[in-house]
Amino acid sequence: MEQQERQLAGTLRRDEIGKKVCLKGWVQKRRDLGGLIFIDFRDRSGLVQIVFNPAISEQALEIAESVRNEYVLEVCGQVVERSTDTINPKMATGEVEVVVDFVSILNEAKNPPFSVFDDKEISEELRLKYRYLDLRRESMQQTFRMRHQATQVIRQFLNEEEYLEMETPMLTKSTPEGARDYLVPSRVHPGHFYALPQSPQLFKQLIMVSGFERYFQFARCFRDEDLRADRQPEFTQIDIETSFMSSDEIMAMTERMMQKLMKEVKGIEITSPIPRMRYEEAMERYGSDKPDTRFDMELVDVSELVKTSNFKVFESTVNTGGKVSAINVKGQAANYSRKDIDKLTDFVKIYGAKGLAWLKIEDNAFKGPIAKFFSEEEQASMMKVLQANENDLLLFVADAKSIVYDSLGALRMKLAKELHLIDESQFNFLWVTDWPLLEYDENAGRYTAAHHPFTMPSDEDLDKLDTHPEQVKAQAYDLVLNGYELGGGSLRIYKKDIQDKMFKVLGFSEEEAWEQFSFLLQALEYGTPPHGGIALGFDRMVMLLAGKTNLRDTILFPKTASASDLLTEAPGSVGQTQLDELHLSLQQKAIDETSK
Amino acid sequence: MEQQERQLAGTLRRDEIGKKVCLKGWVQKRRDLGGLIFIDFRDRSGLVQIVFNPAISEQALEIAESVRNEYVLEVCGQVVERSTDTINPKMATGEVEVVVDFVSILNEAKNPPFSVFDDKEISEELRLKYRYLDLRRESMQQTFRMRHQATQVIRQFLNEEEYLEMETPMLTKSTPEGARDYLVPSRVHPGHFYALPQSPQLFKQLIMVSGFERYFQFARCFRDEDLRADRQPEFTQIDIETSFMSSDEIMAMTERMMQKLMKEVKGIEITSPIPRMRYEEAMERYGSDKPDTRFDMELVDVSELVKTSNFKVFESTVNTGGKVSAINVKGQAANYSRKDIDKLTDFVKIYGAKGLAWLKIEDNAFKGPIAKFFSEEEQASMMKVLQANENDLLLFVADAKSIVYDSLGALRMKLAKELHLIDESQFNFLWVTDWPLLEYDENAGRYTAAHHPFTMPSDEDLDKLDTHPEQVKAQAYDLVLNGYELGGGSLRIYKKDIQDKMFKVLGFSEEEAWEQFSFLLQALEYGTPPHGGIALGFDRMVMLLAGKTNLRDTILFPKTASASDLLTEAPGSVGQTQLDELHLSLQQKAIDETSK
């Protein structure tokens, strides 16, 4: 066996011509041609072509004949210049090849269930089952190299800004409210359970009480909820908390971090300061609390204009407390048939809208079944506020405010994608601020925290917490990128009396609050500094940086929508002994499921 | 409210004299003296003295009068020189003080249950219950700053050596063998459970199969076992895996990492290369597989010398397959009475030894009840091999090999501590190599893996795997520091046929092996590169760097020996609804425990 130092395949260039090298890696593709064997040889650095020539080594060629795709080889040979006609400009190493005089098969490989170098669509089930092969593909390798790089850049930044990286527990307290907690039965304490953290929220607040002042962590978090395409039962968030900083200072720090990240990972300078928008404005203009600002087509409130119109649907909606908003689909009137618009109507109905009214602009006037309800004047003023011109398509929803926002906001996104209005190369960051502190839960008949119960009300609204809780704004801020919520944060309640009041507004009795959060309430009494922070979804951040659309492409070993790991077949059934040790029994449904 | 930029208390020095500063932090200690109030004022950077003087601000003084220890304040004032007689050379800021003209109470504090600045012994229970106060103490602050620094140094090193930081799942597969697994019931799959990882072993091997070649992670691991003082149910390991490297290369990389760490965190240059010792030698010379080499008092095998002696206990032990070893407690004969030695005898009995024989050297000859059994010649040769001189105390154990090692090894450590033989400033690293691959489990009547079932046998022993499994050495290495196992690693099995054989030796049927490890066995068939790695216990590493003796002092929010979190009171009971969602019932014992 040769003992020469290993070199990386993807690094070989012209200036290595003549050099003897040894490589270790995988057979990506083998081609037999005119008595020679050519192999695209791959390692973590990339590809190089290696050649087996009987004139150089009969023995090596013989071995190469037995070699198939994904075999692991050690090869040694000379770097030679390729002839002009065989230079491959698509490969970084395309000007050279290695003529092999020694080869050793380090491991064999069966024919893989899918090729690791084609860009063919492969079923996601197969990809997840053979994740270790899926991950060999170039685009996956790139994504996880980028993820690593992003990790290091962010850590370096936070380290330089004197944030301490600290680890909080995974085996934490389960709370009666924690409907989405993953529970972990304790063997030592029968009938007792830990919970996996949905976030290290309370621990990071305690770290502030401890006086460390600046904390961060790449925190694994867990949420046992019905999964959507962009959710995973375990996910990673960049968790940050600081003492003695204003929300402006926390936002500014986050901006510096994102600037550095975008610069170092994507080579992109982002606009600074990142624009800010109040929650109310975001809803009014984009029908979304995480607006995609890479394109316009904003929602326009026409309630005032239509409340005296002859179109009864609009008129009565406005006069019974609802509103009418519209979007202007520029220059698309001719391209949307009635049938097309019917489909859009079906779409907005998903969001609770009763219907979708439409108008086209033809010869500088409204056209369409409802055009007749609007006077020439009304038409003129509506065209003005909607900046409508010839061949524009106007789409209206008249409904309760929240339905108008949800449906038109979603329609806006759908149309932008259909019409390719989005410049995919852009990275539009946006802060959404001035969030409501509370939401009214109709089912429960009480208020719930819009963010979490530890969010600080805005100073000027503090008095309204008892009297008009629905009007209280939170000192909270979300960072939005291209229509995705990257993360959010807030100042936290650091005074015991405000926290008590908050729990009361949320309908907790004193006993309930104490039972669940005694340690926090106690900590607030021993010199808690003003503090706040932010948590950013790291998986999603990587997804957006890598230009992917599926979170599963940014998590090394992800789970399916039903929270299964197709590779290891988790979760699995366990033995009775293990259950007995935990003093647990399966209920009938569980017995049925496991005996299937 | 003043709007000046905040400065850090602990950074103020002579050259800031005359400057106006604003500080935010905690009242560490207040003293009233001659109409003035002096406060040791603390923030994350340290302490500075602040002074309230009625001549400067009556109002500030008045507020200061209401202030107690651990109040959170914002203060502004002028940095002034202390008079020569009040300079405090023990404080970094001891030459200056801040004369306050503005103060605002940011938060109040009750009298804490223990002082955060005394070095008084506080009961651990109280410390854990009020962890957020415990963590304010200077030595805790230092430990976690050091932990942060160690994290960054190691990450930077591994990043530079092209290791990729990657995250493996926490919700993994439970295996029938996983007696110490923490289980997590699945809501979506009734009766099915995830397991929290005891280590990311198989995932990091799959990362190698994926072709990433170099991986690391600060991995949270979990082990549900009966806890000892130096164990925690969740702990952090620096998890590293590489492809195409020899064990020498992996050890060399680890050494570079430890060198950099010791240099940057402790300012210490460590010996390189780190000495290596075979497992057998470590046991023979130190009675331990993790020898503390900061002192000598090595075990000496005297079996050959005593097997013909008249002392029947020694003679028969050797002639029935046992061995006799001794340690020489230099110069301590006069200091150990019979009673003292009786205590040592009780001590070795804990480790299964039947007794402890002893001899003292007086007038260049053996003294003691068994001295008479040894001829002058025998005495001379034993004194020679034991390098025994006047007033030395020789302690012997005659027993089965493993008992001799365990008992004398433990006795050696006990005596070294009693006699202060250990230079606590030293950091002695050691590699222990050539581990046995298998252990014979008398109870189960079969072999078990000494490390784990994926460890590569040494190349030369490969043939013996079927015939003499007990003789097979592993390609494994442990890193030892000052008598603690810092971590261990190995080359892994990367060929399917060897892995099959290994499972067979361990008593797995083909079905059992497949059921538990199908994904690994399958992966081995698709071009798995030769690979290996190491895992280092990070909590323990920090403990040793910080000169602590308790793991709980290096974990931010640790659990007690019964795996409870005294701060949050985890684990706790959960509601019936939550159990029903998981389709689980409590067995009677659990019901009893939770209704207590």
Side-chain angles (χ1 to χ4, degrees), chain B residues 245-500:
Chain B
M245 278 196 194
S246 66
S247 42
D248 280 348
E249 287 170 319
I250 296 172
M251 285 190 265
M253 177 277 296
T254 310
E255 290 195 21
R256 289 194 297 278
M257 184 172 84
M258 293 312 298
Q259 272 177 324
K260 188 177 159 99
L261 180 70
M262 294 305 291
K263 183 77 189 290
E264 296 201 11
V265 173
K266 300 289 290 182
I268 289 176
E269 299 276 358
I270 63 172
T271 319
S272 178
I274 290 171
R276 295 188 189 185
M277 195 178 284
R278 286 176 304 101
Y279 167 84
E280 269 303 334
E281 187 185 344
M283 296 305 288
E284 274 167 25
R285 289 174 55 190
Y286 297 94
S288 169
D289 56 11
K290 41 180 189 284
D292 191 336
T293 55
R294 288 175 300 175
F295 65 99
D296 297 328
M297 210 199 290
E298 294 184 13
L299 280 61
V300 177
D301 185 345
V302 294
S303 304
E304 281 305 308
L305 294 177
V306 301
K307 78 175 178 192
T308 52
S309 79
N310 288 327
F311 188 44
K312 284 301 156 209
V313 177
F314 283 6
E315 181 267 335
S316 70
T317 301
V318 177
N319 289 313
T320 55
K323 74 183 290 173
V324 181
S325 293
I327 55 174
N328 179 354
V329 193
K330 301 292 293 176
Q332 292 294 331
N335 295 335
Y336 277 80
S337 66
R338 281 198 182 214
K339 220 168 160 182
D340 294 332
I341 295 173
D342 283 349
K343 278 187 199 147
L344 301 181
T345 307
D346 290 342
F347 178 79
V348 295
K349 283 181 176 168
I350 301 170
Y351 298 89
K354 286 182 287 292
L356 183 70
W358 59 271
L359 288 163
K360 292 180 176 180
I361 313 294
E362 244 178 76
D363 304 329
N364 206 29
F366 285 179
K367 280 280 136 53
I370 66 165
K372 59 181 177 229
F373 296 114
F374 299 96
S375 70
E376 217 165 283
E377 252 175 29
E378 284 170 334
Q379 295 200 11
S381 18
M382 278 168 75
M383 282 169 66
K384 195 173 163 207
V385 298
L386 284 159
Q387 298 177 29
N389 299 112
E390 199 60 17
N391 199 29
D392 285 357
L393 169 67
L394 309 179
L395 299 171
F396 298 80
V397 172
D399 225 310
K401 199 162 86 171
S402 66
I403 291 176
V404 171
Y405 292 154
D406 286 356
S407 57
L408 274 184
L411 185 61
R412 173 179 175 270
M413 285 308 301
K414 179 189 166 69
L415 288 166
K417 277 172 203 157
E418 269 182 26
L419 299 168
H420 305 287
L421 300 182
I422 299 171
D423 175 356
E424 298 287 350
S425 73
Q426 259 185 289
F427 286 86
N428 277 24
F429 288 88
L430 176 75
W431 285 110
V432 177
T433 62
D434 296 272
W435 291 74
L437 182 71
L438 300 158
E439 283 166 359
Y440 193 75
D441 182 337
E442 300 282 352
N443 294 327
R446 63 173 176 87
Y447 287 98
T448 58
H451 192 43
H452 56 55
F454 318 107
T455 308
M456 187 73 178
S458 74
D459 295 329
E460 57 267 34
D461 292 345
L462 222 41
D463 298 337
K464 296 189 202 153
L465 202 50
D466 306 298
T467 54
H468 297 88
E470 74 285 355
Q471 293 176 16
V472 178
K473 295 270 178 288
Q475 300 200 43
Y477 32 83
D478 266 19
L479 184 60
V480 173
L481 171 57
N482 294 350
Y484 286 91
E485 180 201 331
L486 263 196
S490 63
L491 298 190
R492 326 299 183 184
I493 298 172
Y494 64 98
K495 296 222 173 198
K496 174 98 178 1
D497 56 340
I498 303 178
Q499 189 65 65
D500 284 342

Side-chain angles (χ1 to χ4, degrees), chain A residues 44 107 110 136 147-148 159 162 165 167 187 189 193-194 213 224 236 494 526 562-563 572 587, chain B residues 44 107 136 147-148 159 162 165 167 187 189 193-194 213 224 236 494 525-526 562-563 572 584:
Chain A
R44 74 177 194 273
N107 215 347
K110 292 205 298 190
R136 285 187 191 165
R147 187 173 171 123
H148 163 80
N159 186 40
E162 298 184 23
E165 185 162 13
E167 296 175 74
R187 190 169 51 88
H189 305 278
F193 295 78
Y194 305 96
E213 294 190 32
D224 187 8
T236 301
Y494 64 98
Y526 287 108
S562 68
Q587 293 179 3
Chain B
R44 74 176 194 272
N107 215 346
R136 285 186 192 166
R147 186 173 172 124
H148 163 79
N159 186 39
E162 298 184 22
E165 184 162 14
E167 296 175 74
R187 189 169 52 88
H189 305 277
F193 294 79
Y194 305 96
E213 295 190 32
D224 186 9
T236 301
Y494 64 98
E525 295 188 309
Y526 287 107
S562 68
L584 290 176

